[in-house]
Amino acid sequence: MARITASVYTSHVPAIGAALDLGKTGEPYWQKVFAGYEFSKAWMRDNTPDVIFLVFNDHATAFSLEMIPTFAIGCAAEFPPADEGWGPRPVPVVQGHPELAAHIAQSVIQDDFDLTIVNKMNVDHGLTVPMSLMFGQPASWPCPVIPFAVNVVQYPVPSGRRCFNLGRAIRKAVESFDAPLKVQIWGTGGMSHQLQGPRAGLINRAFDSAFLDRLIADPEGLSKMPHIDYVREAGSEGIELVMWLIARGAMSDAQPKLAHRFYHVPASNTAVGHLILENA
Ligand code: DHB
Ligand code: FE
């Protein structure tokens, strides 16, 4: 049977992708960001999974205000990088895993989570920046990816509670797939950031640090935190953090092993947070 071996959590700041694509990683400003991912790239080489289930949010790129799925599972064979206004990023096309994606859709929908099936989607920085951070700049990505898009752009967005329970349903789905696949689940977005309005530039280091502590040690308790707390404490885009609860909910009930933890301010106007948790 397939199983979830580990979860990865990381911010997806688009300027990080631009820094990589434009060859600026050696600049002192960016060195401090990329230093936090040196361990992660080595760890990924040692722990390359068979498939990544990548929870991210689309930023009105593939979707728009015309159509807003709350949860959308990518079942296509491939997902090209999106043009977000400056041409597509020069990164490989993401290869999907239609068989496992279809199985997860079947299992999770029968478990009462109403997923939207997506058979064609370009993926924006929400997905491609985490891939770049964890794999660097290879000619092709080393494993297939199932993109799983969550609406955190237009209210109402799903609660932390629902995200955590969805993670549990995804775990059950993976564990009932009849092939010996090692699957990682990634939660992306965050940490504290607000991109517009009078509070633009908001960073809340204390909130971020407590969020990381609780995500590791008390995810179920953390899942009860209401939206208003995210928005007040972590800024309007800090709500992206609910996606981390999907990945955490998919981990075993036993306490996972913390393989890596990193936090840095600033990257663009935001805080960067990153965790790697391994199932025992
Ligand atoms: C920015 C955009 C994002 O989607 C995000 O999660 C963080 C930062 C930005 O435009 O700087
Ligand atoms: Fe974002």
Side-chain angles (χ1 to χ4, degrees):
M1 290 301 184
R3 65 194 173 89
I4 291 177
T5 53
S7 50
V8 171
Y9 309 81
T10 179
S11 307
H12 61 215
V13 189
I16 293 175
L20 265 162
D21 301 343
L22 300 172
K24 292 175 186 276
T25 55
E27 294 181 1
Y29 179 95
W30 288 113
Q31 265 176 1
K32 297 190 189 75
V33 176
F34 289 106
Y37 291 83
E38 283 306 317
F39 172 90
S40 315
K41 284 189 285 183
W43 181 89
M44 280 306 305
R45 281 192 292 274
D46 294 341
N47 296 277
T48 310
D50 297 305
V51 188
I52 297 167
F53 190 91
L54 201 157
V55 180
F56 77 112
N57 70 290
D58 177 79
H59 300 74
T61 306
F63 308 123
S64 72
L65 293 184
E66 292 178 359
M67 221 181 284
I68 308 166
T70 302
F71 298 118
I73 185 163
C75 297
E78 55 179 43
F79 304 90
D83 182 350
E84 298 181 61
W86 297 270
R89 288 193 61 214
V91 293
V93 171
V94 170
Q95 303 302 313
H97 197 302
E99 296 80 13
L100 180 57
H103 171 82
I104 293 173
Q106 163 77 18
S107 175
V108 168
I109 291 171
Q110 294 310 311
D111 261 341
D112 302 338
F113 292 88
D114 303 313
L115 310 185
T116 298
I117 309 297
V118 177
N119 291 318
K120 186 169 193 278
M121 177 166 62
N122 291 358
V123 286
D124 75 8
H125 67 270
L127 186 141
T128 63
V129 167
M131 292 292 286
S132 297
L133 281 168
M134 297 301 290
F135 291 118
Q137 296 173 293
S140 60
W141 300 125
C143 64
V145 174
I146 298 173
F148 189 87
V150 179
N151 169 40
V152 289
V153 169
Q154 172 65 48
Y155 283 83
V157 307
S159 67
R161 194 73 205 273
R162 183 147 179 81
C163 288
F164 188 68
N165 288 330
L166 171 59
R168 288 179 161 162
I170 292 167
R171 181 206 315 174
K172 182 176 151 196
V174 168
E175 290 176 350
S176 63
F177 187 67
D178 193 10
L181 298 180
K182 285 179 285 180
V183 179
Q184 284 179 11
I185 184 162
W186 294 12
T188 68
M191 296 207 76
S192 57
H193 64 299
Q194 172 143 349
L195 299 177
Q196 68 280 304
R199 296 205 308 164
L202 177 146
I203 301 289
N204 187 343
R205 201 179 266 274
F207 174 90
D208 289 342
S209 175
F211 187 92
L212 294 174
D213 291 344
R214 290 189 78 192
L215 191 78
I216 297 166
D218 177 28
E220 186 154 21
L222 179 62
S223 75
K224 294 177 185 143
M225 183 165 68
H227 289 146
I228 190 66
D229 290 11
Y230 286 85
V231 174
R232 190 197 319 105
E233 300 297 327
S236 53
E237 279 69 44
I239 192 64
E240 288 181 343
L241 284 169
V242 292
M243 295 186 288
W244 294 30
L245 286 163
I246 298 177
R248 188 64 180 87
M251 293 291 282
S252 303
D253 294 334
Q255 189 58 30
K257 176 180 171 234
L258 173 63
H260 186 51
R261 176 172 175 159
F262 174 66
Y263 183 76
H264 176 75
V265 178
S268 176
N269 238 351
T270 83
V272 169
H274 174 39
L275 291 176
I276 299 175
L277 300 181
E278 294 173 0
N279 265 336

